[in-house]
Amino acid sequence: MIKIFLPYKIRETLDVPTEIEAQGSNLRNLIDNIEGMYPGVKDHLVDEGKLRPGMSAVIDGKTTRLGLIHKLDNVSEIHFLPSIAGGRK
Amino acid sequence: MVSTPENKNYKVIGTRPIRHDGYDKVTGRAQYGADIKLPGMLIGAVVRSPHAHARIKSIDTSEAERLDGVFAVMTAKDLPRLGDVVRGNSEESGSEKHLSENVMAFDKVLYKGHVVAGVAAKDQNTAFEAAKKIKVDYEILKPVIDVDQAMSKDAPILHEDYTCDHLGKEVKNSNVAAHVRHENGDLENGFDKADLVVEKEVDMQTVHQGYIEPHSGTAVWDEEDRVKVWTSTQGSFAVRDSVSKVLDLDVSRVKVTPMEIGGGFGGKIPIYLEPISAVLSRKTRRPVKTMMSRTDVFDATGPGPGGKVKVKIGIDADGKILAAYADIRLEAGAYPEAFIEAAAKCVFSCYDVPAMKIDAYDVLVNKPSSAPYRAPASPQVAFATETVVDEICKIKGYDPIDFRLLNVAEKGTRTALGPKYRTIGLKECLEAAKKSDHWKSNLNSNPKTGKKRGRGIASGYWFNIGFKSSVNLSLNPDGKVALIEGSTDIGGSRASIAMQAAEVLGIPAEDVRPSVVDTDSIGITDVTGGSRTTYATGYAAYNAAHKLIEEIIEKAALKWDISKDQIEYSDGVVKSKTDSELKMTLKEIADDPPGGPIVSSASVDLEEAGGGFAVHIADLEIDEETGKTDVVNYTAIQDVGKAIHPSYVEGQMQGGAAQGIGWALNEEYFMSDDGVMLNSSYLDYRMPIALDLPMINTIMVEVPSEEHPYGVRGVGEPPIVPPVPAIGNAINDALGLRLLSTPMKPSRITEALKRKK
Amino acid sequence: MSENKVKKVAVNTTINGEEMDILVDPYISLLETLREVVGITGTKEGCNDGNCGACTINLDGRIVDSCLVLGVEAEGKNIETVEGMATPDGLHPLQQAFLEEAALQCGICTPGFLVSAKALLDNEPDPSEERIRHWLAGNLCRCTGYDKIVKAVTKASKESK
């Protein structure tokens, strides 16, 4: 099982615990599984078949650049976080 | 250098060749934004609002249009009206509507200097004359100019139509565009158990990036609705995206040619004049160049957010941090985004904090829409955290380096936002600081003058972004390599990118010739910003060079009619593994290779480089009579991952330190109550000059990044983070005064000394 | 506008050793004259009010901000700009030292620094760090923190000897 941490505002809005566990072969699949447990989460994370603009997924310390197709082999934790404008406004 | 963890024998990396673009830049040949001159070119000028907050009732351009030598006049009516759309992911945020409104106001002006109209004329004088004849009727509104005003009850609202996000709740009629929170661990329990809790609130004034080259934008809009843009920018593709959105054109209709760039520090990522020149060109079918004055630059571009940051830290009896809280309120300026997520990510980044909570507020004020400024939002939060840490050390009598080492963030430490660090080098920086000649030196007050001396230390962090870069290589018939890239070169990156390709190919840096080209001539390359260029574009160059070697081997196999796996390449020579007769130099293989010229290209889309940390030590000498502070000794220590061109890495460290020193001691937007910047010239916005600074010692620590083949980390941004708190801590050391507002200028020091007595 | 049009003024001046006759509007600065009339753009505009030094030129042996001088004041004068520093035989030692010491990052202030530094070495061939900082105090650099610029000038002074 992969430990999942959702952003504060999603946890507050949908009453999700700080840390949850889920599985998935890739990020898309994992989010579908989380949606099964906590309906409404997917809408916060996914838009038009992609990670929602402004949302990033940090997989074992690395922010994925592949998005939903990122394969989850031997992953222990994923943090979904608001993405950070590193340069551009 | 303190450590070289991998004892690789690099031939090119770590050497100090002359940068490829250097000759043009010391002879005056290099062409910057304003240097372009096109046949038939007109000069543009804009009309700017004199008010910080007002509704536009009407604009009368008729008199300007009648003036001799005027070719076109425009207002926002000539721009498409765009809806609210969030753009992209992480490289971009904000909305198209705001992007467009910031170029030219439609209904409301939100800061002094906000553009309301534009004009193209035969020369600059006529354009200015015409701009003066454009009459704008305003309904003046009360401005809000700082976070306290903006967040107060009954504050005038900047964006009546904007939906704010307060912890997931949709809120209207607020100047707080966003309130975000991050929580980790049991905060209350941590503070309850604490042996000592220290809390401080700092107040940072708005500052400007201060690049010496003002903005400009030149454009031609042709009969096929294709727009060519020449501009000085940190990201030609970012300009292409933004211009195409504001003008509602497909990106392929816009071609951006980057000129040399005279400094940016984040401030030359946004667009300002480019769409205006484009529309004026559409109306005239002639090239139009529009430029800013220095006052325009201060009034209407840039600034790095001011704001207030409160930090509270609790420690146990052994000095271990138990809990930390931050309340961050930063000025977004006229449009949302003051980098509050970056602030949250950076505020406790140097420490292992078991329980924490961060509240951050993105606050709209009637100042120009803030732009990134070198490690955006990190210096603001570091001032608070590093001041609290220094205060803890003073109260408990801890050595400030030992306390930082006891609580140091390292590989595996959980960061404020949750994920764990990969390999980072803060501990190594602190150890290098401890061993430095500077830290070991005595600090005696000047017996001759009686001036007080003080020493301060502070740490800082920036996370480095990755993102997209593209590089093309071609092997020329003389055996040299042309490298084509899209990263505009703001401080030697042509060299640091070319050197990585040269290292792979085993040839001298001079034999790889880098060119920065327009957006039609290379694959997408994200901005020169976020300390990403040497890391990401360098990585693309590394990959492209490996592909070039594959091509070379393939061609050699064809030529010699042997199989590829019998061939090897090293140091500019391709040869058979078995037959010593079969051997070609790059020049030989490049001469009419079978099946066509030898070329390669590569692109990357990278994850962060893993974070860069800096530790700075500042010695000050303060005149208690006048409050004047002199920096007498300064050392910047930084984990640079791997220094590709050490001179330019040192340059980044020294330049960042100098900007931070200016921020700490002198620089601020001095605003009238009406929201007008009163010091919008270099005379009054006092940036450090050569006489203000000492030599800045540098210690490069090399803890390689796990994400890059040579271990490169971003180096541009971390060095601006520690100076403000290092100087604040040094002032406290010298005078026993805790100054909590920037700039810590002479009058603040003398006033504080008076209060103390 | 046309009825009160100001007439251009003929100016005879020497720029980087080349004597020339130019026509300038009487209200434009020497900076604008160099860039727009003569067409040499190595001299840069950073502020147009004499505070950044990016437009520093040498006017009859004195360094001045060319944005604060009118184009018509060039009459009969000898002007040196960054374009006049190198010869066909090679770079001026200061230019070479700036390259070797990495004394520039973005490079926009570099022409002004080179012109100021050349005037310094012409006057004081062996300046101390303090004298160098004093002479360069009128030139703003936002990239380097001045450290490598001071080192480059020191190096050039040693090598010129």
Side-chain angles (χ1 to χ4, degrees), chain A residues 17-52:
Chain A
T18 309
E19 185 183 318
I20 59 176
E21 291 196 331
Q23 263 176 329
S25 57
N26 63 18
L27 204 58
R28 184 188 309 279
N29 194 247
L30 176 108
I31 291 171
D32 285 338
N33 292 340
I34 300 173
E35 178 70 11
M37 296 183 279
Y38 300 97
V41 167
K42 186 176 176 179
D43 192 42
H44 284 270
L45 302 180
V46 178
D47 184 40
E48 294 181 355
K50 297 202 295 191
L51 261 186
R52 183 173 275 285

Side-chain angles (χ1 to χ4, degrees), chain B residues 443 445 452-456 618-622 729-731 733-734:
Chain B
L443 181 78
S445 286
K452 289 278 173 61
R453 287 197 169 192
R455 177 171 294 166
D619 288 1
L620 307 178
E621 186 171 283
I622 306 170
N729 294 343
I731 291 173
D733 187 48

Side-chain angles (χ1 to χ4, degrees), chain B residues 28-38 41 213 216 218 259-260 289 291, chain C residues 35-36 39-45 108:
Chain B
R29 277 196 298 268
Q31 296 273 294
Y32 291 76
D35 296 338
I36 190 167
K37 202 163 194 178
L38 298 168
M41 189 169 79
E213 179 200 31
S216 66
T218 303
M259 306 296 289
E260 292 299 338
K289 173 164 81 175
M291 297 166 285
Chain C
R35 293 177 56 84
E36 301 299 329
I40 50 175
T41 56
T43 307
K44 303 300 180 191
E45 177 183 321
I108 194 88

Side-chain angles (χ1 to χ4, degrees), chain B residues 23 79 108 127 137 154 173 196 198-199 254 295 299 305 365 373 420 501 507 527 558 612 663 699 757:
Chain B
Y23 294 93
L79 292 171
K108 239 185 140 182
D137 191 12
D154 304 323
N173 277 309
L196 171 71
V198 173
E199 178 183 312
V254 180
T295 297
D299 274 349
V365 296
Y373 179 19
K420 290 175 181 166
I507 60 177
V527 297
L558 277 172
W663 196 338
I699 299 174
K757 275 174 192 162

